[in-house]
């Protein structure tokens, strides 16, 4: 124990002047009452302590910090009464203070060393509080005690005292909570206490204005404080670390995942008292109830490196995550480098990342796996299995955080679906809001209501455009055939190599089937049935047989594994084709998305895209879509100019992507010009807008039949790469476009030469005409 006097105020404030002194009387009175009530063996101890105080005859004497230490044996008895029986002095952070003063006069070694360190640290810090702030903090404590003791008023002025301390041994941060026990202080009013209106006082205190009122009603010089105050410091790191994680869930904002995980990691390190242990978090997100990558690295990124998209294909990840969700198991190893990798093959990926100790814990929410947390160390640092038990209080809060991320992921998916894939666009949202309000109003008033109110727009001008990828079907068939030929060739070579070291009837039958399929693929094009059957043969029959053979005959394992590796690593022509098509479609979609936002600024219009092997779109514009905004023919002309110029821009854009395509693909651009208005309405069964009336339906029919139309008396397709085709019926239909064609020619966007063409008759359609324009490409 230490008899040193420590001023923990740091001399940073002018202390309020109060009449205070040490006295053992309140403690002796309390101990005497306790001894009379005690029925256990503690009563003998309390009686002995009371006898020692009686010998000293100090019950009615006042002491100061200067003479208190002369009675150290009594101070030790006070400590013995207040501390846990089996705890040593080095385990308890406890001390005696002067009543209502920040002055420690007697303490355990742990409290003494802690306070000396804090006082020295405070001296080195810049002063951030004013003298008034410090004084008010002291007044808050003093008046809180007065109001509670004399008026039985629980003041909201009292505050918990926390301090963040860095443990020199572990370098981890610790939360320390200091509590002051004022049970052994008596307060003696020197004159009659005034009546206080506590309702008014509460209002003042809530606005931090109560001190002036209190000082006028209850000046400090009317009180005497006598007794002993006791300070106990408790390590509440575990509780505070868990609270920090809970608070993050309530206060975080989407998009700041990195900051969130950093704060969680810091809190967990505090909980474990170890700055060397690292954490990584991997939420399980689903789309259509199937596991998908979440694209968020949580913590160190170890789990993302092992199970992320750079390591696993989406299908492999989905399979592993699904298997784990069925039987989620915890894992712990003090040193994964010492584990049997034949039993725990997944550890190899962690070893390559310099992980040593590793624990994997599944996280649950409503009995569903929502993610995994990895606890690990780098290099030579390790942790023991007991560490996992220390984490128990934080597991559920972390699981809730994973659920928050999953919910945000789902909301983001829902938002994209609403924005990109439904027909309720901002330009028509008002109509749906109106219909919904009519429905709600009728429902609340118990009026007869229809299931849904029709959402209808009349006299709309339609504009249709299509950007198609040239010969996409032919290219896809050729790519599929190329990949099948290549894989059958690899299988034939592998089976031939296996026959040299292994003999079996099943191997001979598999070799015969492979040769038969190679003959089938020599034809120009496979039927859908043949493609399906061939896929079953390669993936199921041959694949499963080779897996079986590798397990049953060790000599074949190397050859078979080489086959599987080659198949896995082979660059699929079909994949290359899909990559090129995706590149084109993404570029076109992004362009149209950006452009249509600008288009809406002139006049609201309904703009809907359709994904085919390219991109098609419908635009509807007219007065009924924006009743409060006058519509004129100039608005329609503006959209038509945009349509023509945007098709030229798309032709240039897609041509510029050729060098970056694994398979070179070109696009054709088509516009159907329709000069009459049509009516459209929302079809609730298909959740999309469609045309109304027989004449309007004819417009839809024409759109679907002109994509592959040929020039009359020719086998030549109208649509050609890097060109724009305008299809129409009457010359009057394209009058608006002719000035725009000339304008774009003079601005070096379109070629000067263009073709006027008659088109072949289609089923139910005759008299179609077209203008075909060349686009000046950028080189």
């Amino acid at each position: 124990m230490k008899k040193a006097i420590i001023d923990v105020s740091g001399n940073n404030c002018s202390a309020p002047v109060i009449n205070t002194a040490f006295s053992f009387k309140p403690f002796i009175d309390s101990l005497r009452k306790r001894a009379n009530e005690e029925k256990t063996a503690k009563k003998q101890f309390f009686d002995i302590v009371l006898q020692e105080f009686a010998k000293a005859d100090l019950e009615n004497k006042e002491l100061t910090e200067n003479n208190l230490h002369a009675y150290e044996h009594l101070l030790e008895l006070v400590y013995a009464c207040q501390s846990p029986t089996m705890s040593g002095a080095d385990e308890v952070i406890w001390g005696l203070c002067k009543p209502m003063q920040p002055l420690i006069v007697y303490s355990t070694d742990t409290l003494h060393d802690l306070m000396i360190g804090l006082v020295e640290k405070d001296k080195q810090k810049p002063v951030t509080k004013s003298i008034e702030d410090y004084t008010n903090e002291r007044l808050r404590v003093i008046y809180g005690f007065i109001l509670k003791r004399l008026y039985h008023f629980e003041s909201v002025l009292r505050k918990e005292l926390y301090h963040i301390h860095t443990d020199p041994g572990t370098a981890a941060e610790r939360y320390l909570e200091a509590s002051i026990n004022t049970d052994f202080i008596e307060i003696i009013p020197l004159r009659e206490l005034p009546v206080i209106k506590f309702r008014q006082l509460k209002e003042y205190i809530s606005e931090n204005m109560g001190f002036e009122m209190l000082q006028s009603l209850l000046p400090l010089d009317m009180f005497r404080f006598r007794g002993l105050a006791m300070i106990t410091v408790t390590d509440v790191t575990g509780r505070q670390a868990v609270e920090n994680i809970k608070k993050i869930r309530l206060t975080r904002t989407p998009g700041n995942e990195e900051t969130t995980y950093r704060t969680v990691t810091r809190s967990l390190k505090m909980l474990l008292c170890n700055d060397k242990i690292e954490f990584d978090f991997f939420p399980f997100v689903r789309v259509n109830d199937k596991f998908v990558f979440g694209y968020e690295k949580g913590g160190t990124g170890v789990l993302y490196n092992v199970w992320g998209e750079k390591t696993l294909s989406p299908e492999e990840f989905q399979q592993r995550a699904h298997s784990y969700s069925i039987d989620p198991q915890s894992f712990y190893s003090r040193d994964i480098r010492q584990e049997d990798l034949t039993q725990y093959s997944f550890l190899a990926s962690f070893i390559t990342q310099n992980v040593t100790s590793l624990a994997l814990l599944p996280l649950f929410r409503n009995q569903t796996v929502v993610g995994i947390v990895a606890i690990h160390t780098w290099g030579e640092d390790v942790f023991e299995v007991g560490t996992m038990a220390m984490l128990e209080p934080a597991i559920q809060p972390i699981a809730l955080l994973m659920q928050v991320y999953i919910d945000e992921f789902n909301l983001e998916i829902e938002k994209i679906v609403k924005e990109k894939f439904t027909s309720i666009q901002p330009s028509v949202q008002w109509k749906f809001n109106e219909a919904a309000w009519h429905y709600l109003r009728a429902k609340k008033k118990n009026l007869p209501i229809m299931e849904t109110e029709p959402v209808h727009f009349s006299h709309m001008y339609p504009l249709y455009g299509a950007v198609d990828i040239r010969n996409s079907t032919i290219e896809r068939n050729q790519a599929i055939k190329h990949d099948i030929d290549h894989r059958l060739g690899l299988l034939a070579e592998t089976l031939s190599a296996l026959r040299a070291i292994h003999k079996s009837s099943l191997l001979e039958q598999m070799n015969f089937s492979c040769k038969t399929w190679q003959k089938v693929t020599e034809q120009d094009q496979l039927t859908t049935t043949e493609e399906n059957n061939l896929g079953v043969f390669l993936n199921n029959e041959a694949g499963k047989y080779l897996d079986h053979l590798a397990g049953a005959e060790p000599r074949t394992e190397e050859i078979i594994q080489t086959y599987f590796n080659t198949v896995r690593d082979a660059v699929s022509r079909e994949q290359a084709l899909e990559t090129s098509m995706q590149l084109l479609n993404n570029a076109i979609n992004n362009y149209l998305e950006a452009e249509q936002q600008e288009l809406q600024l002139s006049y609201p219009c309904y703009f809907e895209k359709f994904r085919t092997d390219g991109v098609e779109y419908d635009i509807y514009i007219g007065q009924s879509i924006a009743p409060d905004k006058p519509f004129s023919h100039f608005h329609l002309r503006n959209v038509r100019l945009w349509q023509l110029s945007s098709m030229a821009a798309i032709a240039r854009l897609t041509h510029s992507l050729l060098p970056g395509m694994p398979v070179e693909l070109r696009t054709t651009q088509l516009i159907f010009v329709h000069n009459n208005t049509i009516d459209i309405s929302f079809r609730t069964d298909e959740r999309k807008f469609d045309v109304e009336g027989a004449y309007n339906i004819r417009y839809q029919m024409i759109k679907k039949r002109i994509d592959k139309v040929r020039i009359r008396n020719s086998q030549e397709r109208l649509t050609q790469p890097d060109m724009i085709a305008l299809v129409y019926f009457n010359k009057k239909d394209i009058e608006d476009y002719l000035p725009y064609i000339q304008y774009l020619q003079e601005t070096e966007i379109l070629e000067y030469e263009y073709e006027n063409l008659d088109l072949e008759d289609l089923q139910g359609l005759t008299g179609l005409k077209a203008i075909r324009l060349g686009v000046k490409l950028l080189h």
Side-chain angles (χ1 to χ4, degrees), residues 596-632:
Q596 77 112 344
Q597 297 295 332
E598 293 293 323
L599 192 62
Q600 300 283 355
L601 298 178
S602 173
Y603 194 90
C605 58
Y606 181 78
F607 190 109
E608 185 174 22
K609 297 195 309 302
F610 306 93
R611 184 74 173 269
T612 56
D613 273 349
V615 178
E616 299 177 35
Y617 64 79
D618 278 318
I619 301 175
Y620 299 104
I621 188 170
Q623 183 65 71
S624 63
I625 207 167
D628 298 330
K629 187 172 183 178
F631 175 79
S632 75

Coordinates of all heavy atoms in Angstrom, one line a residue, residues 596-632:
Q596 N -29.8 9.4 -71.7 CA -31.2 9.5 -71.5 C -31.5 10.5 -70.3 O -32.5 11.1 -70.2 CB -31.9 8.2 -71.3 CG -31.7 7.5 -70.0 CD -33.0 7.5 -69.2 OE1 -33.9 8.2 -69.5 NE2 -33.0 6.7 -68.1
Q597 N -30.5 10.6 -69.4 CA -30.7 11.5 -68.3 C -30.7 12.9 -68.8 O -31.4 13.8 -68.4 CB -29.5 11.4 -67.3 CG -29.5 10.0 -66.6 CD -30.7 9.8 -65.7 OE1 -31.3 10.7 -65.2 NE2 -31.0 8.5 -65.6
E598 N -29.8 13.2 -69.8 CA -29.8 14.5 -70.4 C -31.0 14.8 -71.3 O -31.6 15.9 -71.3 CB -28.5 14.6 -71.4 CG -27.2 14.6 -70.6 CD -27.0 15.9 -69.8 OE1 -27.4 16.9 -70.2 OE2 -26.4 15.7 -68.7
L599 N -31.5 13.7 -71.9 CA -32.7 13.8 -72.8 C -33.9 14.2 -71.9 O -34.8 15.0 -72.4 CB -32.9 12.5 -73.4 CG -34.0 12.4 -74.6 CD1 -33.5 13.3 -75.7 CD2 -34.2 11.0 -75.1
Q600 N -34.0 13.7 -70.7 CA -35.2 14.1 -69.9 C -35.2 15.5 -69.5 O -36.3 16.0 -69.1 CB -35.1 13.2 -68.6 CG -35.1 11.7 -68.8 CD -36.5 11.2 -69.1 OE1 -37.5 12.0 -69.1 NE2 -36.6 9.9 -69.5
L601 N -34.1 16.2 -69.6 CA -34.0 17.6 -69.2 C -34.9 18.5 -70.1 O -35.4 19.5 -69.7 CB -32.6 18.1 -69.1 CG -31.7 17.4 -68.1 CD1 -30.3 18.0 -68.2 CD2 -32.2 17.6 -66.7
S602 N -34.9 18.1 -71.4 CA -35.7 18.9 -72.4 C -37.2 18.7 -72.2 O -37.9 19.7 -72.1 CB -35.3 18.5 -73.8 OG -36.1 19.1 -74.7
Y603 N -37.6 17.5 -72.1 CA -39.0 17.2 -71.8 C -39.1 15.8 -71.3 O -38.4 14.9 -71.8 CB -39.8 17.3 -73.1 CG -41.3 17.4 -72.9 CD1 -42.0 18.6 -72.6 CD2 -42.1 16.2 -72.8 CE1 -43.3 18.7 -72.3 CE2 -43.5 16.3 -72.5 CZ -44.1 17.5 -72.3 OH -45.4 17.6 -72.0
P604 N -39.9 15.5 -70.3 CA -40.0 14.2 -69.7 C -40.5 13.2 -70.8 O -41.4 13.5 -71.6 CB -41.0 14.3 -68.6 CG -41.0 15.7 -68.2 CD -40.7 16.5 -69.5
C605 N -39.8 12.0 -70.8 CA -40.2 11.0 -71.7 C -40.0 9.6 -71.1 O -39.3 9.5 -70.1 CB -39.5 11.1 -73.0 SG -37.7 10.9 -72.9
Y606 N -40.7 8.6 -71.6 CA -40.6 7.3 -71.1 C -39.5 6.6 -71.9 O -39.7 6.5 -73.1 CB -41.9 6.5 -71.1 CG -41.8 5.1 -70.6 CD1 -41.8 4.9 -69.2 CD2 -41.7 4.0 -71.4 CE1 -41.6 3.6 -68.7 CE2 -41.6 2.8 -70.9 CZ -41.5 2.6 -69.6 OH -41.4 1.3 -69.1
F607 N -38.5 6.1 -71.3 CA -37.4 5.5 -72.0 C -37.2 4.1 -71.4 O -36.8 3.9 -70.2 CB -36.1 6.3 -71.8 CG -34.9 6.0 -72.6 CD1 -34.5 6.8 -73.7 CD2 -34.2 4.8 -72.4 CE1 -33.4 6.4 -74.4 CE2 -33.1 4.4 -73.2 CZ -32.7 5.3 -74.2
E608 N -37.3 3.1 -72.3 CA -37.2 1.7 -71.8 C -36.2 0.9 -72.7 O -36.4 0.9 -73.9 CB -38.5 1.0 -71.7 CG -38.5 -0.4 -71.2 CD -39.9 -1.0 -71.0 OE1 -40.8 -0.6 -71.7 OE2 -40.0 -2.0 -70.2
K609 N -35.2 0.2 -72.1 CA -34.3 -0.5 -72.9 C -34.6 -2.0 -72.8 O -35.2 -2.5 -71.7 CB -32.9 -0.3 -72.3 CG -32.3 1.1 -72.5 CD -30.8 1.2 -72.3 CE -30.3 0.5 -71.1 NZ -30.9 1.0 -69.8
F610 N -34.2 -2.8 -73.8 CA -34.4 -4.2 -73.8 C -33.1 -4.8 -74.2 O -32.4 -4.4 -75.1 CB -35.5 -4.7 -74.8 CG -36.8 -4.0 -74.6 CD1 -37.1 -2.8 -75.4 CD2 -37.8 -4.5 -73.8 CE1 -38.3 -2.2 -75.2 CE2 -39.0 -3.8 -73.6 CZ -39.3 -2.7 -74.3
R611 N -32.7 -5.9 -73.5 CA -31.5 -6.6 -73.8 C -31.7 -7.8 -74.7 O -32.5 -8.6 -74.3 CB -30.8 -7.0 -72.4 CG -29.5 -7.6 -72.6 CD -28.4 -6.6 -72.9 NE -27.1 -7.2 -72.9 CZ -26.3 -7.2 -71.8 NH1 -26.8 -6.7 -70.7 NH2 -25.1 -7.8 -71.8
T612 N -31.1 -7.8 -75.8 CA -31.1 -8.9 -76.7 C -29.7 -9.4 -76.9 O -28.9 -9.4 -75.9 CB -31.8 -8.6 -78.1 OG1 -31.1 -7.5 -78.6 CG2 -33.2 -8.2 -77.8
D613 N -29.3 -9.7 -78.1 CA -27.8 -9.9 -78.4 C -27.2 -8.5 -78.5 O -26.0 -8.4 -78.6 CB -27.6 -10.7 -79.6 CG -27.6 -12.2 -79.3 OD1 -27.6 -12.5 -78.1 OD2 -27.6 -13.0 -80.3
G614 N -28.0 -7.5 -78.5 CA -27.5 -6.1 -78.5 C -28.4 -5.4 -77.5 O -28.8 -5.9 -76.4
V615 N -28.8 -4.2 -77.9 CA -29.7 -3.4 -77.1 C -30.8 -2.7 -77.9 O -30.5 -2.2 -79.0 CB -28.9 -2.3 -76.3 CG1 -29.9 -1.4 -75.5 CG2 -27.9 -2.9 -75.4
E616 N -32.1 -2.9 -77.5 CA -33.2 -2.2 -78.2 C -33.8 -1.2 -77.2 O -33.6 -1.4 -76.0 CB -34.3 -3.2 -78.6 CG -33.8 -4.2 -79.6 CD -34.9 -5.2 -79.9 OE1 -36.1 -4.8 -79.9 OE2 -34.6 -6.4 -80.1
Y617 N -34.4 -0.1 -77.7 CA -35.1 0.8 -76.8 C -36.3 1.3 -77.4 O -36.5 1.4 -78.6 CB -34.1 1.9 -76.4 CG -33.7 2.8 -77.5 CD1 -34.5 3.9 -78.0 CD2 -32.4 2.7 -78.1 CE1 -34.1 4.7 -79.0 CE2 -32.0 3.6 -79.1 CZ -32.9 4.6 -79.5 OH -32.5 5.4 -80.6
D618 N -37.3 1.7 -76.5 CA -38.5 2.4 -76.9 C -38.5 3.7 -76.2 O -38.2 3.8 -75.0 CB -39.7 1.6 -76.5 CG -40.1 0.5 -77.5 OD1 -40.0 0.8 -78.7 OD2 -40.5 -0.6 -77.1
I619 N -38.9 4.8 -76.9 CA -39.1 6.1 -76.2 C -40.5 6.5 -76.6 O -41.0 6.4 -77.7 CB -38.1 7.1 -76.8 CG1 -36.6 6.7 -76.5 CG2 -38.3 8.5 -76.1 CD1 -35.6 7.6 -77.1
Y620 N -41.2 7.0 -75.5 CA -42.6 7.5 -75.7 C -42.6 9.0 -75.2 O -42.2 9.2 -74.0 CB -43.6 6.7 -75.0 CG -43.7 5.3 -75.5 CD1 -43.2 4.2 -74.8 CD2 -44.3 5.0 -76.7 CE1 -43.2 2.9 -75.2 CE2 -44.4 3.7 -77.2 CZ -43.8 2.6 -76.5 OH -43.9 1.4 -76.9
I621 N -43.1 9.9 -76.0 CA -43.1 11.3 -75.6 C -44.4 11.9 -76.0 O -44.9 11.6 -77.1 CB -41.9 12.1 -76.1 CG1 -41.8 13.5 -75.5 CG2 -41.9 12.1 -77.6 CD1 -40.5 14.2 -75.8
G622 N -45.0 12.8 -75.2 CA -46.2 13.4 -75.5 C -46.8 14.2 -74.3 O -46.2 14.1 -73.2
Q623 N -47.8 14.9 -74.6 CA -48.4 15.8 -73.6 C -48.9 15.1 -72.3 O -48.7 15.6 -71.2 CB -49.6 16.6 -74.2 CG -50.2 17.7 -73.2 CD -49.2 18.8 -72.8 OE1 -48.9 19.6 -73.7 NE2 -48.7 18.8 -71.6
S624 N -49.4 13.9 -72.5 CA -50.1 13.2 -71.3 C -49.1 12.7 -70.3 O -49.4 12.4 -69.2 CB -50.9 12.1 -71.8 OG -50.1 11.1 -72.5
I625 N -47.8 12.7 -70.7 CA -46.8 12.2 -69.7 C -46.4 13.3 -68.8 O -45.8 13.0 -67.7 CB -45.6 11.6 -70.5 CG1 -44.9 10.5 -69.6 CG2 -44.5 12.7 -70.9 CD1 -43.8 9.7 -70.3
A626 N -46.6 14.5 -69.2 CA -46.3 15.7 -68.3 C -47.4 16.7 -68.5 O -47.2 17.7 -69.2 CB -44.9 16.3 -68.6
P627 N -48.6 16.5 -67.9 CA -49.7 17.4 -68.2 C -49.5 18.9 -67.8 O -50.1 19.8 -68.4 CB -50.8 16.8 -67.3 CG -50.4 15.4 -67.0 CD -48.9 15.4 -67.0
D628 N -48.6 19.1 -66.9 CA -48.3 20.5 -66.4 C -47.3 21.2 -67.3 O -47.0 22.4 -67.0 CB -47.9 20.5 -65.0 CG -49.0 19.9 -64.0 OD1 -50.2 20.1 -64.4 OD2 -48.6 19.3 -63.0
K629 N -46.7 20.5 -68.2 CA -45.6 21.1 -69.0 C -46.1 21.1 -70.5 O -46.2 20.0 -71.1 CB -44.3 20.4 -68.9 CG -43.1 21.1 -69.5 CD -41.8 20.4 -69.2 CE -40.6 21.1 -69.8 NZ -39.3 20.5 -69.4
P630 N -46.3 22.3 -71.2 CA -46.8 22.3 -72.6 C -45.8 21.5 -73.5 O -44.6 21.6 -73.4 CB -46.8 23.8 -72.9 CG -46.9 24.5 -71.6 CD -46.1 23.6 -70.6
F631 N -46.4 20.7 -74.4 CA -45.6 19.9 -75.3 C -45.8 20.5 -76.7 O -46.9 20.9 -77.1 CB -46.1 18.4 -75.3 CG -45.5 17.6 -76.3 CD1 -44.2 17.1 -76.1 CD2 -46.1 17.3 -77.5 CE1 -43.6 16.3 -77.1 CE2 -45.5 16.5 -78.5 CZ -44.2 16.0 -78.2
S632 N -44.8 20.5 -77.5 CA -44.8 21.0 -78.9 C -44.0 20.1 -79.8 O -43.3 19.2 -79.3 CB -44.3 22.4 -79.0 OG -42.9 22.4 -78.9

